[in-house]
Amino acid sequence: MPSSVQRKRIRKSPADRRAEIVEAAASVALTEGLECITLRRIGEQLGVRPGLISHYFPAVEDLVAEAFGSAASAELDRLIPAERPDGTPTEHLARFFAQATGEAYDDMSRLWINARHLRRYWPVLRDRVGVQEDAWVGRLSGLLRAGVERGEFRTADPEVVAMQILVAIDGLGAYTNAVIDNCPPAVKLMPLTTAERELGLPSGALIRTTPN
């Protein structure tokens, strides 16, 4: 007869357990939406009682904000690394556009739309969205500033251009997420063409330098 072996429960540190909860909540946020984050739902995801989740996050609003912040920060680090690898600012910006305006970014785009809607009701989430918006502008404007210093870009205000680019990306995301088919190429390329125009780049410069 097969013997039953009792699995030894491994007690995780508070920091590890909290990180695990946030990671699970971020996953639910990306695939199902922020509204689907509940103590019960995350407990089921991790195979623990909801009471354990509430021990770390007594208010579900705090977990929702933390989940959004975690997902947004991870995406920012992937798209615009704080420590950029070898390559020119133009190459890094082209890489950013290649990844931030494709289908792979759709889940994150939906999450931003979701968070900006819900922040009207949850002050904690509103504050977290503001922090993430500032972080994205800061990281992107830093890349643009590096391009100006190298003589690749021409603009007197990298921060304003960064905002223009992000507004164009957000607008495109809202448009495509409305399930409108056959989006014209000129519309799909608006964030990229906005960057080329505002940075003094020739048309197609970012497309030509987009890494594989």
Side-chain angles (χ1 to χ4, degrees):
M1 295 179 63
S3 60
S4 60
V5 179
Q6 186 175 4
R7 296 176 62 184
K8 183 178 181 180
R9 296 180 66 88
I10 300 176
R11 186 177 183 84
K12 297 184 178 181
S13 70
D16 288 344
R17 177 63 77 181
R18 188 179 191 280
E20 180 185 54
I21 292 171
V22 172
E23 182 180 359
S27 175
V28 169
L30 281 167
T31 58
E32 303 174 29
L34 292 168
E35 301 94 329
C36 293
I37 296 177
T38 65
L39 302 183
R40 180 179 298 277
R41 176 70 182 83
I42 303 306
E44 292 174 350
Q45 180 100 343
L46 296 175
V48 299
R49 294 181 181 276
L52 177 62
I53 310 300
S54 65
H55 173 75
Y56 289 90
F57 294 95
V60 72
E61 291 88 348
D62 293 333
L63 179 54
V64 168
E66 196 71 19
F68 168 75
S70 176
S73 294
E75 193 72 3
L76 175 59
D77 288 339
R78 186 177 74 85
L79 295 178
I80 315 176
E83 298 295 329
R84 292 186 290 274
D86 293 338
T88 67
T90 302
E91 290 169 343
H92 289 304
L93 185 58
R95 173 183 175 275
F96 166 72
F97 280 118
Q99 298 187 28
T101 55
E103 292 183 4
Y105 187 70
D106 284 351
D107 284 345
M108 195 65 217
S109 178
R110 294 187 188 97
L111 182 61
W112 271 101
I113 294 172
N114 192 199
R116 283 172 170 145
H117 170 68
L118 292 178
R119 69 177 173 180
R120 296 184 298 171
Y121 312 108
W122 293 339
V124 177
L125 180 59
R126 181 182 63 233
D127 293 342
R128 186 58 61 90
V129 170
V131 168
Q132 292 300 324
E133 287 173 337
D134 290 344
W136 279 70
V137 171
R139 191 76 64 83
L140 181 55
S141 63
L143 172 58
L144 302 185
R145 194 170 290 109
V148 171
E149 292 171 355
R150 288 174 57 108
E152 296 180 27
F153 305 150
R154 295 190 303 277
T155 177
D157 199 332
E159 186 170 322
V160 168
V161 177
M163 291 180 183
Q164 290 175 307
I165 291 171
L166 292 173
V167 166
I169 290 175
D170 289 342
L172 179 62
Y175 185 85
T176 55
N177 280 316
V179 196
I180 298 177
D181 296 329
N182 302 319
C183 184
V187 175
K188 290 183 178 180
L189 292 174
M190 275 185 63
L192 190 146
T193 55
T194 296
E196 291 176 340
R197 181 184 67 247
E198 297 299 327
L199 296 173
L201 294 171
S203 178
L206 294 175
I207 295 177
R208 288 198 303 269
T209 56
T210 301
N212 294 329

